[in-house]
Amino acid sequence: QVQLVESGGGLVQAGGSLRLSCAASGIIASNYVMGWFRQAPGKEREFVAAITRTGNVGSVTGRFTISRDNAKNTVYMQMNSLKPEDTAVYYCAARQTYSTSYREYDYWGQGTQVTVSS
């Protein structure tokens, strides 16, 4: 079975950093587009970053950087200069081709909470 397990969330002060991890099993992460999305209470799930099979990346802010460790079958997102508006549940997801739409992703993790205090 396919499993995506996020970790690394927590409480951090504004201006601080976190690194989120997404450990994949049941799929080879390098054979998929791997994406990060976030959802705040009362708001729609939104795209944050993604990485393609060949290592091309996209993100909505230069403060966040997505990467992949093929040996560990794990995707990461380094988040720097965090702001209170970054507070959300962050989800890891996978699909075959690049997309910024959460509706088009096939596999999802359980999410990890990121809270940025002021």
Side-chain angles (χ1 to χ4, degrees):
Q1 74 279 27
V2 176
Q3 283 191 289
L4 304 175
V5 180
E6 302 100 331
S7 61
L11 176 63
V12 64
Q13 291 184 322
S17 298
L18 288 172
R19 188 180 74 160
L20 305 184
S21 298
C22 173
S25 60
I27 60 169
I28 299 174
S30 62
N31 288 343
Y32 288 79
V33 175
M34 304 295 297
W36 286 97
F37 293 79
R38 66 186 180 187
Q39 188 164 22
K43 294 188 176 182
E44 191 173 44
R45 197 176 309 173
E46 67 174 350
F47 172 82
V48 179
I51 182 168
T52 71
R53 296 182 298 106
T54 56
N56 291 96
V57 299
S59 66
V60 297
T61 172
R63 297 181 293 115
F64 297 173
T65 303
I66 189 170
S67 62
R68 184 179 63 229
D69 186 333
N70 292 338
K72 296 182 179 179
N73 206 32
T74 297
V75 177
Y76 303 95
M77 186 165 67
Q78 179 68 42
M79 304 189 295
N80 297 326
S81 301
L82 284 161
K83 303 174 181 180
E85 51 262 47
D86 296 319
T87 295
V89 177
Y90 283 73
Y91 297 93
C92 179
R95 76 182 307 268
Q96 291 288 347
T97 55
Y98 188 89
S99 175
T100 60
S101 174
Y102 75 88
R103 293 178 174 86
E104 296 182 349
Y105 280 74
D106 301 306
Y107 305 112
W108 291 89
Q110 83 289 349
T112 185
Q113 177 71 47
V114 171
T115 303
V116 184
S117 65
S118 59

